[in-house]
Amino acid sequence: MPDFLLVLFLFNLSLFLLHEMDAIRRSEWRLFIVLKDIEDSKAYKVFTFLHLFLFVIILTLLFSEYQIIVFWFLDLFFIIHAILHLFFEKHPRNEFKNTFSRAIIYPLGILAVVHFLFLINS
């Protein structure tokens, strides 16, 4: 049976994947300096395609001898990610100003803190 830390991490990773699905629906690329000025139909393809590599790297490393490093790195990323979304709340192109999106983003950051604290104490 998987241990608590792994289950907690996988739950949080699932929240991240849900957020990325929501990010495509809400055109998150409009918030990125590199993609914001590209035509939406092209930016959508680039943004989506880049996630293929992101997910393959995360999943490959997660099930390798580097699992603990992935835990640390992604916990920190999820925390910073939630904080950035908080800072971008008033951005005119931010389409995550709804209960559904917030119910994914902020618990993602909070659970990453919880996981990180358990990781430190284990």
Side-chain angles (χ1 to χ4, degrees):
M1 178 174 201
D3 70 347
F4 172 73
L5 275 179
L6 179 59
V7 172
L8 180 59
F9 180 82
L10 291 174
F11 182 84
N12 218 26
L13 181 61
S14 297
L15 280 177
F16 175 68
L17 297 173
L18 281 177
H19 168 63
E20 293 308 315
M21 292 167 63
D22 190 39
I24 290 171
R25 182 183 187 298
R26 304 204 183 278
S27 308
E28 188 176 34
W29 56 84
R30 293 177 185 160
L31 300 174
F32 291 98
I33 294 169
V34 176
L35 296 175
K36 70 181 176 79
D37 296 324
I38 299 175
E39 180 186 325
D40 268 351
S41 63
K42 290 179 185 174
Y44 156 78
K45 290 174 185 169
V46 170
F47 183 81
T48 304
F49 188 68
L50 288 175
H51 281 79
L52 171 65
F53 298 104
L54 174 67
F55 296 155
V56 167
I57 290 168
I58 289 171
L59 293 172
T60 300
L61 292 175
L62 181 61
F63 297 102
S64 74
E65 66 269 17
Y66 304 109
Q67 184 181 69
I68 196 77
I69 295 169
V70 173
F71 284 170
W72 284 84
F73 180 82
L74 286 179
D75 280 346
L76 291 173
F77 172 76
F78 294 157
I79 294 164
I80 292 167
H81 177 264
I83 292 168
L84 285 173
H85 270 279
L86 187 61
F87 284 139
F88 276 85
E89 275 284 324
K90 300 213 185 301
H91 191 285
R93 289 183 155 183
N94 180 4
E95 294 187 23
F96 296 98
K97 301 173 192 174
N98 60 77
T99 304
F100 180 79
S101 295
R102 289 176 177 146
I104 296 170
I105 295 166
Y106 299 120
L108 176 61
I110 293 166
L111 287 176
V113 169
V114 170
H115 185 265
F116 190 75
L117 291 174
F118 275 115
L119 202 58
I120 289 172
N121 291 321
S122 65

